[in-house]
Amino acid sequence: MNKNSSNIMALAPNTSNKRETVCIFGTGDFGRALGHKIIQSGYPVVFGSRNTQPSSLIPKDAEVLSHAEAAQKAAIIIIAIQRQHYNFLTPLAEILHGKVLVDVSNNLKINQYPESNAEYLAQLVPGTKVVKAFNTVSAWALQSGTLDASRQVFVCGDDMGAKQMVMDIVRALGLTPLDQGSLLAAQEIENYPLQLFPMWKFPILLSLGLTAFFFFYCLTRDIIYPYVYENKDFSFFIVISIPNRICPILALTLLALVYLPGVLAAIIQLYRGTKYHRFPDWLDKWMLCRKQLGLVALAFASLHVLYTLVIPIRSFVRWRLSSQIVSQALNNKTEPLNTTNAWLSDSYLALGILGFFLFVLLGITSLPSVSNNVNWREFRFVQSKLGYLTLILCTAHTLVYGGNRFLRPSSYRWYLPNAYMLSLIVPCIVLVVKFVLIFPCLDKPLTRIRQGWERNPQYSE
Amino acid sequence: MNKNSSNIMALAPNTSNKRETVCIFGTGDFGRALGHKIIQSGYPVVFGSRNTQPSSLIPKDAEVLSHAEAAQKAAIIIIAIQRQHYNFLTPLAEILHGKVLVDVSNNLKINQYPESNAEYLAQLVPGTKVVKAFNTVSAWALQSGTLDASRQVFVCGDDMGAKQMVMDIVRALGLTPLDQGSLLAAQEIENYPLQLFPMWKFPILLSLGLTAFFFFYCLTRDIIYPYVYENKDFSFFIVISIPNRICPILALTLLALVYLPGVLAAIIQLYRGTKYHRFPDWLDKWMLCRKQLGLVALAFASLHVLYTLVIPIRSFVRWRLSSQIVSQALNNKTEPLNTTNAWLSDSYLALGILGFFLFVLLGITSLPSVSNNVNWREFRFVQSKLGYLTLILCTAHTLVYGGNRFLRPSSYRWYLPNAYMLSLIVPCIVLVVKFVLIFPCLDKPLTRIRQGWERNPQYSE
Amino acid sequence: MNKNSSNIMALAPNTSNKRETVCIFGTGDFGRALGHKIIQSGYPVVFGSRNTQPSSLIPKDAEVLSHAEAAQKAAIIIIAIQRQHYNFLTPLAEILHGKVLVDVSNNLKINQYPESNAEYLAQLVPGTKVVKAFNTVSAWALQSGTLDASRQVFVCGDDMGAKQMVMDIVRALGLTPLDQGSLLAAQEIENYPLQLFPMWKFPILLSLGLTAFFFFYCLTRDIIYPYVYENKDFSFFIVISIPNRICPILALTLLALVYLPGVLAAIIQLYRGTKYHRFPDWLDKWMLCRKQLGLVALAFASLHVLYTLVIPIRSFVRWRLSSQIVSQALNNKTEPLNTTNAWLSDSYLALGILGFFLFVLLGITSLPSVSNNVNWREFRFVQSKLGYLTLILCTAHTLVYGGNRFLRPSSYRWYLPNAYMLSLIVPCIVLVVKFVLIFPCLDKPLTRIRQGWERNPQYSE
């Protein structure tokens, strides 16, 4: 047997049946839950508390000692106490010297204090190795064992060895440690559990704004106008007809907005002749939330599909159909098949179906577990090639749906064009510019710029 | 270069090009497949077998020796032999002393033996370090390389060092080791591959029971009753119409049952004035299978959507529509548009669409890879806030669908109310109680209880 | 405190606040991006470059030195330079002796060079420990922090210690290292990022071929035939009607092709009387792309569902309906309900809905994050039992849809049977053979063969 193996060397002689003791300061909910879980994973646990009387709430196998006694028993101390009580640690500074302190605290507001709790702790008790960890884990999830939300535990700290020890515990609990670097990252880690979909804010606000605009636009054209001029009450259009106009408009516009920043970036790079200038901030932010924009667009597209498929079940549509047929029968005439209409109707339906199908495919590949299983080339192929194909199909769907309707005067009530025409503006711009950028005279320099070439090199390698 | 780094220290001098030898007892399917894979990962492998003649089935690079010889070559021995043959190891006890034995065995039935195979092995050959691992991996998957099912390997054992060595091998094979603690966990690990969706049992049995009940209920009301009193044969309703009544009823009821235990738990906590008493067992179990209940409800909702969308294609519906129109035409009358009907019909369709849309969103966020990427606050926001909104929309969908139908005598055939009314019972109870619990006079004490406050504190900290 | 613990032993005395320095040769895009990320993760980074003048592009905290100076500062050197420039390393051989060289390069074509870049590097600079890594990571993704595509980093190398050091860096960057074995694996790792869905090639080519065949088949029967004999222009059938014939045919055929290789394998095993002979190559390859075949089938099934659900919205269908009703009204006759028709129409719709529902369920369980959370037994249950149920339901759906249509002469235009009949061939064969294989006289020996029994044993254990 190869006894030289480092692995064997490290383990064989020192191997012991026990993991080292972990000390937890604080016997609140989170401290107890964490202690319970750590004991289950095979570590001896000792609690440090003001009150050392046994309590039925504290895990059976754990000892409860005074803070000083407990701290002496372990190399690693988890501080499961709120920040405002941290100063009780100052008298213990001598005992804590050289120990690993794990800050698990959270705040109630983002950036509540000037410095993070972990950095505050490191200042309070110098000579200790402070590691931030476990703050994203919920006490309830630890207790019930249903870690449905994230199993990720962000860890940061200035001491590599201390961080390693904490990450070993994290792994032993069946969680995934993610090293976030030095203690400077603690602020961000403490803000993380307070965030509520930060990347989704802009796409959702934008779509709410657009929804409101198009709602009043359609309200004016489709309900108020006929009421004023024809005295017809189509108020029930608010429920399905108008949403089914707004949804496709938003889906198409937002999908185009996913591809617009890429096109803008290409123009900027071509203009500047280099890729080493930073993009303006708004463009950077826009590019980072493209995935979210696309998913919101997909949500609107799905709603559009559902709203469209229920059309034949709607009471109003049935009434319109039957009154049309009855009037035909009463007038004793049968209309011949209009082949052009059949072509147009089938075409826009088919384009919509294929566009939606590709859109759903894009959505599926953006699922983390799927995108993790494709390589970079495949991911780019799906998100760029298939993405543009989706945009083309959806734009064509809208164009064919419109047909020559834009020529009819009835499409301009109160000088307002049909809402679908507005939805075509952004996608058409994106597609036209993209088409121009494909020409070799523009594509070649762009490719060279993206490979690092500069028109006016100002920087040496 | 910082030569003090522990990492470098551990690796630099002892670094070797070879991993330590692994011994496998048993040349059956699983032993060979595992051996093949371990060789591929760079470990030398030696097989221990009664029959040491070379065989074309055994991986080429592996030696085949007698059990005793093979065991002496390695520090780690994988026992790929069935439990009933374990006693051949007793004579080898001296050679095996201090070695790591890896138990990979599975049973045919849950809890087949009083103690787990791994514990039995540890008793048989004292002085060895027994580790349970690899039992969830399939020989076929190892051979074909298509690890479509789980890559997780549960590992447990009393010796930390031995466990670490086994987990290193697991990682080298490209699998994910999950430390399950001491050897006591072996029983559970051995039962795991025999389980068939244990968390789904209750939701599926419940929904089967409810389906059967509502099937006969609707059969009586919609087929037997018209046959008896009007002599009409609507037997084909069994195929689509009745399933399309049962599906929404089950979807709504099961969705409400997802939120009922939370409401019950709140009432119990308010009544007891503490959160430190354990809930009754049935409530605990119920709370743990809420996700499964919700997904079964989503399945029924999806079926309801599909059944509803095919309505206009159904031959019966087309016949009914055309005979209505023909009779209108023959009676020479055109009905005016009933705006109230249009409002009602559009409203319940729109409510259903929005409810289903949110329901699918809930389903997507419960995918493991998605829920792993949200923090706890976001997960709770989606599952609780969006969940209640879904329940409200779906209940409203059913209420508006019913309209004032519950006032008509025709809704009570044989004193049986329309089936949709039964489906409203649980969701309405949940929503009303939840609404009451939101009032500050109840919400405030509840929040305090959940933060650890007790009305009659019996425990000291 | 248990000071004997190996963990503590290894860490406590050597613990240092710093990670060891990493050297990067090359200040191109990828080198800079990787350097930036490595600095963020707490490693000191030194760049080796021909040009040692400071540049604003190079991360601030990094030193830029000559190649020789930089190499002396670190034990690990990342070669972020293209293969054609590797020979500049030859003069540095002495300094590089014993160091870990990380090859991050990629090629432009699959198998561009006879040996992999990493092996070429190892030959060029003997005495170094070459590790292949990071080639699947994109510079852009490193810079922007949006690692949407794979976080997996394939690592291979002949030296275990060197590989471990590189894998530690990979983990520190928040990526997942996957040990692929010795440096021989480098060729495959270098080809990986150039692949474009290799497993999908066969399913997609097959379905394109079948689509083309059935398109011209349906074109002939449904458009050319009526044009020739009845002078009717149904050219717009190309848009929806014909795709809606092709999609279900392909979905059903491909789904059957998923289960055909399993059935063939069983027959081969029964005939040979052993499972230890290898299957023919084509069967092996076929079995490995079953998942992809199934997902393509699901895509066609989804399109079929969408195409079917828009039927009532199609202008042609509305025209046909209204002209039927008008002619009924003009002829003054009302048709009675045809119960048989109602039964058939509802049955095939219900079978289709249930089949599609199960099909989607199969698709969801094949998502990596879902299949990772089920055990082997559950995975097999879903993919085999539910899979066959899906196949049975979809075949029944097609059979009932056809009804007794195959008896009518009008179904054989130009001697070509209706397209749906062709789609039934493969599924019926699979289901009949599978049904035969279930009989005990065949099932028993098959089970024994699969457990390792051989009819004519040629191999000893």
Side-chain angles (χ1 to χ4, degrees), chain B residues 1-2 4-8 11 15-19 27 29 32 49-51 53 55-57 136 138 140-141 144 146 148-152 172 192-198 233 235-236 239-240 299 303 306-307 309-310 312-316 318-319 321-322 325-326 329-330 367-369, chain C residues 10-11 14 16 18 20 73-75 158-161 163-165 168 179 275-276 288 290-291 305 308-309 311-312 317 321 325 328-329 332-337 339 341-343 345-347 349-350 353-354 356-357 367 369-379 381-382 459-461:
Chain B
M1 196 189 109
N2 185 354
N4 287 330
S5 150
S6 66
N7 227 328
I8 292 289
L11 290 168
T15 296
S16 68
N17 288 350
K18 282 279 173 216
R19 309 206 188 204
T27 53
D29 259 22
R32 290 199 309 265
S49 174
R50 276 164 300 162
N51 187 332
Q53 286 177 343
S55 149
S56 66
L57 291 171
T136 54
S138 116
W140 185 83
S144 67
T146 54
D148 272 330
S150 185
R151 292 171 172 276
Q152 296 175 350
Y192 178 77
L194 299 165
Q195 289 174 347
L196 194 61
F197 299 110
D233 177 12
S235 56
F236 61 88
V239 189
I240 290 194
L303 280 175
L306 284 173
Y307 278 124
L309 292 178
V310 298
I313 316 176
R314 289 175 63 195
S315 161
F316 165 68
R318 287 188 172 174
W319 166 82
L321 181 72
S322 70
I325 299 177
V326 168
L330 295 180
L367 281 174
S369 69
Chain C
L11 291 167
N14 312 317
S16 69
K18 280 279 172 215
E20 69 271 29
K73 293 233 174 187
D158 288 332
D159 187 282
M160 291 302 299
K163 208 149 67 173
Q164 206 58 51
M165 284 165 78
D168 284 341
D179 190 341
K275 71 164 182 178
Y276 295 121
L288 284 175
R290 283 183 291 181
K291 180 178 163 183
V305 167
T308 303
L309 292 178
I311 286 179
V317 174
L321 181 73
I325 299 177
Q328 267 185 46
N332 210 345
K333 72 168 182 194
T334 43
E335 273 179 23
L337 172 62
T339 322
N341 262 359
W343 261 103
S345 138
D346 279 14
S347 299
L349 288 173
I353 288 172
L354 292 175
F356 179 66
F357 175 76
L367 281 174
S369 70
V370 176
S371 62
N372 252 326
N373 279 286
V374 298
N375 68 35
W376 195 251
R377 189 175 167 217
E378 293 165 344
F379 187 74
F381 173 81
V382 170
Y459 312 97
S460 53
E461 191 220 2

Side-chain angles (χ1 to χ4, degrees), chain C residues 278-340:
Chain C
R278 284 202 55 195
F279 291 126
D281 235 34
W282 55 267
L283 190 57
D284 261 347
K285 278 191 192 152
W286 190 353
M287 290 183 100
L288 284 175
C289 70
R290 283 183 291 181
K291 180 178 163 183
Q292 282 76 17
L293 268 175
L295 289 174
V296 173
L298 178 56
F300 280 106
S302 310
L303 280 175
H304 169 49
V305 167
L306 283 173
Y307 278 125
T308 303
L309 292 178
V310 298
I311 286 179
I313 316 177
R314 289 174 63 195
S315 161
F316 166 68
V317 174
R318 287 188 172 173
W319 167 83
R320 199 176 53 188
L321 181 73
S322 70
S323 57
Q324 276 170 4
I325 299 177
V326 167
S327 76
Q328 267 185 46
L330 295 180
N331 296 327
N332 210 345
K333 72 168 182 194
T334 43
E335 273 179 23
L337 172 62
N338 182 336
T339 322
T340 317

Side-chain angles (χ1 to χ4, degrees), chain A residues 89-99 125-126 128:
Chain A
L89 291 167
T90 336
L92 299 169
E94 207 169 309
I95 296 163
L96 298 178
H97 191 84
K99 308 247 172 188
V125 207
T128 57

Side-chain angles (χ1 to χ4, degrees), chain A residues 50-62:
Chain A
R50 276 164 300 162
N51 186 334
T52 58
Q53 284 178 343
S55 147
S56 66
L57 291 171
I58 290 176
K60 266 182 293 176
D61 301 327

Side-chain angles (χ1 to χ4, degrees), chain B residues 147-399:
Chain B
L147 285 159
D148 272 330
S150 185
R151 292 171 172 276
Q152 296 175 350
V153 173
F154 298 109
V155 180
C156 78
D158 289 332
D159 186 283
M160 290 302 298
K163 207 150 67 174
Q164 205 58 51
M165 284 165 77
V166 174
M167 281 160 69
D168 284 340
I169 296 177
V170 172
R171 273 192 213 99
L173 302 190
L175 303 167
T176 314
L178 283 182
D179 190 340
Q180 299 294 296
S182 78
L183 209 56
L184 288 170
Q187 185 94 26
E188 210 180 311
I189 296 179
E190 286 171 13
N191 284 337
Y192 178 77
L194 299 165
Q195 289 174 347
L196 194 61
F197 299 110
M199 300 297 287
W200 293 85
K201 221 178 223 168
F202 170 65
I204 285 176
L205 285 180
L206 178 70
S207 56
L208 283 181
L210 286 173
T211 304
F213 170 74
F214 281 109
F215 178 75
F216 288 109
Y217 192 94
C218 294
L219 194 74
T220 313
R221 280 194 87 252
D222 298 329
I223 298 183
I224 299 179
Y225 183 94
Y227 191 78
V228 169
Y229 285 91
E230 308 168 28
N231 201 20
K232 280 183 187 161
D233 177 12
F234 285 146
S235 56
F236 61 88
F237 275 13
I238 288 180
V239 189
I240 290 194
S241 303
I242 288 185
N244 200 18
R245 266 167 209 247
I246 297 172
C247 285
I249 291 173
L250 260 85
L252 187 56
T253 307
L254 291 177
L255 181 61
L257 289 179
V258 170
Y259 293 97
L260 186 53
V263 162
L264 288 180
I267 294 174
I268 290 175
Q269 286 178 340
L270 269 178
Y271 174 78
R272 288 181 177 168
T274 175
K275 71 164 181 178
Y276 296 121
H277 277 292
R278 285 202 55 195
F279 290 127
D281 235 34
W282 55 267
L283 190 56
D284 262 346
K285 278 192 192 152
W286 190 352
M287 290 183 100
L288 284 175
C289 69
R290 283 183 291 180
K291 179 178 164 184
Q292 283 75 18
L293 268 175
L295 289 174
V296 172
L298 178 56
F300 278 106
S302 310
L303 280 175
H304 168 50
V305 168
L306 284 173
Y307 278 124
T308 303
L309 292 178
V310 298
I311 285 178
I313 316 176
R314 289 175 63 195
S315 161
F316 165 68
V317 174
R318 287 188 172 174
W319 166 82
R320 197 176 54 188
L321 181 72
S322 70
S323 58
Q324 275 170 4
I325 299 177
V326 168
S327 75
Q328 268 184 46
L330 295 180
N331 296 327
N332 210 346
K333 72 168 182 193
T334 44
E335 274 180 22
L337 172 64
N338 182 336
T339 322
T340 317
N341 262 359
W343 262 103
L344 279 179
S345 139
D346 279 14
S347 299
Y348 92 78
L349 288 173
L351 285 168
I353 288 172
L354 293 175
F356 180 66
F357 175 77
L358 285 185
F359 210 160
V360 170
L361 221 66
L362 285 177
I364 291 173
T365 53
S366 77
L367 281 174
S369 69
V370 176
S371 63
N372 253 326
N373 279 286
V374 297
N375 68 35
W376 194 250
R377 189 176 168 215
E378 293 165 344
F379 186 74
R380 234 167 18 195
F381 173 80
V382 170
Q383 295 297 328
S384 161
K385 298 269 164 68
L386 284 195
Y388 267 106
L389 188 56
T390 310
L391 184 59
I392 291 170
L393 284 171
C394 292
T395 311
H397 165 67
T398 315
L399 281 169

